[in-house]
Amino acid sequence: GAGVSQSPSNKVTEKGKDVELRCDPISGHTALYWYRQSLGQGLEFLIYFQGNSAPDKSGLPSDRFSAERTGGSVSTLTIQRTQQEDSAVYLCASGAGTDNSPLHFGNGTRLTVT
Amino acid sequence: AQSVTQLDSQVPVFEEAPVELRCNYSSSVSVYLFWYVQYPNQGLQLLLKYLSGSTLVKGINGFEAEFNKSQTSFHLRKPSVHISDTAEYFCAVIPLSGSARQLTFGSGTQLTVLP
């Protein structure tokens, strides 16, 4: 497809379980971002990949959160030992990698931790 | 570091009325500015962006925004709204230099257009 694809669209998990969220960016986009959107709040930056550079992980809220980007394309956000406060919509976005290029967002993964 | 403040979390307005969604930012360096819109259960879409040049920028769906450097503002306006404009609107900035190169968003403004 032409857009950013995220899977699954919805995920319900039990507290303490690990989850993996997947993002397929637009082909050729070198920049990839993960954001978290909690109910009634804005978008919280999590992590940023740009080409082959070391990722900017400054937004990850704890060491339970990690992300990889394989081959400069698909990215996986992993949350270990999930907690109820992890419940949110996780949004992925990709861009051409220049500062003024707009980001293209996926529809997000709604994570519910019970 | 930069920050973005959207002063109004909720803006109800009647159909065909004008609307202004306010955005102020703080940054120690120059920034690019963006407005994104999020319709229910969807990701964000770019409405418009200010990079340089004319301070009045026009975007999709009849929206426009004006960059005011002295007031560090980038307010979004539309002269006549439609029911279909009901959505959440996010202002965002990215610095032109420095180590914190990520796009920083405001907390969003929910625009509800009433019939």
Side-chain angles (χ1 to χ4, degrees):
Chain A
V4 177
S5 177
Q6 290 187 247
S7 60
S9 55
N10 281 282
K11 176 72 176 177
V12 180
T13 190
E14 293 180 351
K15 178 181 173 181
K17 301 282 190 182
D18 297 352
V19 295
E20 284 190 353
L21 312 180
R22 177 187 169 102
C23 172
D24 282 273
I26 292 174
S27 178
H29 277 187
T30 59
L32 188 147
Y33 293 77
W34 283 98
Y35 287 88
R36 177 167 69 177
Q37 186 176 25
S38 302
L39 187 63
Q41 299 186 23
L43 280 76
E44 176 188 6
F45 166 76
L46 297 178
I47 188 168
Y48 165 48
F49 296 89
Q50 174 57 55
N52 296 321
S53 302
D56 177 354
K57 304 180 180 180
S58 60
L60 295 178
S62 77
D63 59 8
R64 296 187 294 106
F65 288 71
S66 62
E68 292 184 339
R69 189 178 185 192
T70 55
S73 181
V74 171
S75 178
T76 303
L77 177 69
T78 301
I79 308 174
Q80 296 178 310
R81 305 181 303 281
T82 52
Q83 303 294 314
Q84 288 186 332
E85 60 263 29
D86 300 333
S87 296
V89 176
Y90 290 82
L91 291 169
C92 174
S94 70
T98 59
D99 291 334
N100 59 11
S101 56
L103 295 186
H104 298 261
F105 282 80
N107 289 340
T109 294
R110 182 176 298 278
L111 175 66
T112 304
V113 182
T114 60
Chain B
Q2 59 279 350
S3 65
V4 180
T5 302
Q6 291 181 246
L7 295 167
D8 307 302
S9 60
Q10 306 263 354
V11 173
V13 62
F14 287 106
E15 194 173 17
E16 297 183 6
V19 70
E20 178 180 83
L21 306 183
R22 296 181 292 170
C23 171
N24 288 84
Y25 70 92
S26 173
S27 177
S28 56
V29 299
S30 296
V31 297
Y32 293 131
L33 300 112
F34 304 82
W35 274 98
Y36 283 83
V37 59
Q38 185 179 32
Y39 297 103
N41 300 314
Q42 295 187 24
L44 279 71
Q45 303 173 31
L46 181 69
L47 264 183
L48 48 79
K49 62 183 178 181
Y50 174 76
L51 306 179
S52 64
S54 172
T55 57
L56 182 64
V57 292
K58 295 186 183 298
I60 62 172
N61 300 340
F63 283 93
E64 63 181 32
E66 186 157 20
F67 170 56
N68 187 318
K69 187 174 183 179
S70 63
Q71 297 185 5
T72 59
S73 68
F74 190 54
H75 301 331
L76 181 70
R77 303 186 184 99
K78 187 170 181 178
S80 175
V81 295
H82 302 291
I83 297 287
S84 59
D85 293 323
T86 294
E88 186 135 26
Y89 292 79
F90 293 92
C91 182
V93 302
I94 188 167
L96 275 64
S97 62
S99 60
R101 305 305 299 281
Q102 70 270 20
L103 191 62
T104 300
F105 287 88
S107 55
T109 297
Q110 174 64 43
L111 173 65
T112 302
V113 181
L114 307 167

